[in-house]
Amino acid sequence: MQRTPIELRHLQTLLALRDTGSVSRAALWLHLTQSALSHQIKALEDFYGLPLFVRKSSPLVFTPAGKRLLALAEEVVPAVDEAGRDLTRLAQGTQGTLRIAVECHTCFDWLMPAMDAFRIRWPEVELDIVSGFHADPIGLLHQDRADLAIISEREEGEAVDFHPLFRFQMMALMANDHPLAGKPYLDAEDFRDETLITYPVPDDMLDIVRQVLRPAGIEPTRRTTELTVAILQLVASRRGLAALPLWAVTGYLERRYVSARPITPQGLTAELWAATLPAITARPYIGEFVSLMRETSLLTLPEIELL
């Protein structure tokens, strides 16, 4: 009987290729180099003498051979994952809580799909978002008011485990007819005589202030509002400028509601991390929730880079 070269990792790779649509994004998802992922696929292709997908297709197109293995992956991988969770439940129990504190006003577009997927996999875990905006979500962990915090900056010296999520681009937003819309990018000086429209958070929590304006000695007038759509309405009516994640405003940009430009020639990037106390990190479902947040963000958000 001939032994098959097909391994679970090959099937996981095929699912990643299906879900991400490209070799590069699938490699990010699986924490592999693009070369290592390509080598996996080539080994199978060489064994069977058949290509599994069309090279340089975008989004990626599977061949009949690739579709056959993909069907196998869709059957086998979820069953293996479910068996692993069942074994974990037998070994460590099934009950628990996962209370999430969110520092980021714009996190919910990608966080909710991750929570929905988690509820299906871990129905016994009580999952909830700690209500309200929190300027110090790490403090909520120490006060036992939250189990996991989503934050924009790691704090050195904290007795906390930090889990990398993703890096993204911040964009300057202005009205379509604003004079600054004619520039290829905005620098710090462009904000000097403008009103900066933000969420009601401290200066230290704003990347545009911390990384760009404060080092240049610029303190523009601030106007705040709780809602993203309210910020964009104010921007569209020439009440000021804003700086928001590209993924939070893509739909508005596609409809030409406002205009966006990079901030500085190099662009302004920001990061998101998950934080848990070490005792919480040891819970069997925490690692899976972090993985789900990374996966759903990679699938749903434009132009992000996994950390």
Side-chain angles (χ1 to χ4, degrees), residues 267-285:
L268 173 62
T269 59
E271 298 177 351
L272 283 179
W273 296 74
T276 55
L277 298 182
I280 303 299
T281 304
R283 294 179 183 174
Y285 48 82

Side-chain angles (χ1 to χ4, degrees), residues 66-132:
K67 290 178 180 177
R68 178 62 186 91
L69 286 182
L70 183 60
L72 176 64
E74 290 169 341
E75 180 179 353
V76 170
V77 174
V80 171
D81 289 344
E82 184 176 359
R85 285 191 293 273
D86 287 344
L87 291 174
T88 299
R89 291 181 175 98
L90 288 172
Q92 301 185 37
T94 61
Q95 301 300 313
T97 63
L98 182 48
R99 299 162 295 170
I100 304 168
V102 181
E103 177 189 271
C104 167
H105 275 77
T106 52
C107 287
F108 295 100
D109 287 346
W110 59 266
L111 181 58
M112 292 304 179
M115 294 176 67
D116 291 340
F118 181 82
R119 287 190 180 96
I120 294 172
R121 299 185 187 191
W122 292 91
E124 310 91 340
V125 176
E126 184 178 345
L127 182 63
D128 197 10
I129 293 179
V130 181
S131 62

Side-chain angles (χ1 to χ4, degrees), residues 228-282:
T228 301
V229 66
I231 290 178
L232 295 174
Q233 287 175 345
L234 291 169
V235 168
S237 59
R238 294 283 297 269
R239 305 296 180 87
L241 305 178
L244 292 174
L246 174 60
W247 48 266
V249 297
T250 296
Y252 297 95
L253 297 178
E254 291 173 348
R255 297 194 299 271
R256 291 287 299 156
Y257 189 67
V258 295
S259 294
R261 296 293 180 271
I263 301 170
T264 79
Q266 298 77 29
L268 173 62
T269 59
E271 298 177 351
L272 283 179
W273 296 74
T276 55
L277 298 182
I280 303 299
T281 304

Side-chain angles (χ1 to χ4, degrees), residues 1-5 47:
M1 180 177 177
Q2 186 182 33
R3 184 175 180 180
T4 177
F47 184 87

Side-chain angles (χ1 to χ4, degrees), residues 47 86 111 134 150 197 208 294:
F47 184 87
D86 287 344
L111 181 58
H134 304 283
I150 297 174
I197 305 169
I208 180 68
R294 289 169 57 86

Side-chain angles (χ1 to χ4, degrees), residues 52-228:
L52 298 184
F53 60 87
V54 179
R55 262 52 179 186
K56 298 184 179 180
S57 57
S58 182
L60 187 144
V61 176
F62 286 94
T63 64
K67 290 178 180 177
R68 178 62 186 91
L69 286 182
L70 183 60
L72 176 64
E74 290 169 341
E75 180 179 353
V76 170
V77 174
V80 171
D81 289 344
E82 184 176 359
R85 285 191 293 273
D86 287 344
L87 291 174
T88 299
R89 291 181 175 98
L90 288 172
Q92 301 185 37
T94 61
Q95 301 300 313
T97 63
L98 182 48
R99 299 162 295 170
I100 304 168
V102 181
E103 177 189 271
C104 167
H105 275 77
T106 52
C107 287
F108 295 100
D109 287 346
W110 59 266
L111 181 58
M112 292 304 179
M115 294 176 67
D116 291 340
F118 181 82
R119 287 190 180 96
I120 294 172
R121 299 185 187 191
W122 292 91
E124 310 91 340
V125 176
E126 184 178 345
L127 182 63
D128 197 10
I129 293 179
V130 181
S131 62
F133 170 77
H134 304 283
D136 181 23
I138 296 293
L140 297 183
L141 301 181
H142 291 295
Q143 299 164 24
D144 193 28
R145 295 169 55 196
D147 303 302
L148 181 145
I150 297 174
I151 60 173
S152 58
E153 193 174 28
R154 289 179 296 175
E155 301 178 20
E156 299 298 331
E158 291 274 359
V160 172
D161 292 332
F162 294 101
H163 315 275
L165 295 178
F166 56 88
R167 180 181 297 111
F168 57 94
Q169 186 174 17
M170 298 288 294
M171 300 294 288
L173 303 170
M174 70 284 299
N176 293 325
D177 60 350
H178 196 291
L180 292 174
K183 297 191 64 174
Y185 63 87
L186 270 60
D187 54 30
E189 194 62 34
D190 290 319
F191 289 84
R192 183 180 295 277
D193 298 322
E194 297 283 345
T195 297
L196 180 62
I197 305 169
T198 74
Y199 300 109
V201 301
D203 285 357
D204 286 342
M205 297 181 69
L206 295 171
D207 294 287
I208 180 68
V209 173
R210 189 174 64 249
Q211 297 187 48
V212 178
L213 301 183
R214 183 180 293 159
I218 294 174
E219 298 183 10
T221 302
R222 285 268 304 276
R223 179 169 180 174
T224 66
T225 181
E226 290 276 357
L227 302 176
T228 301

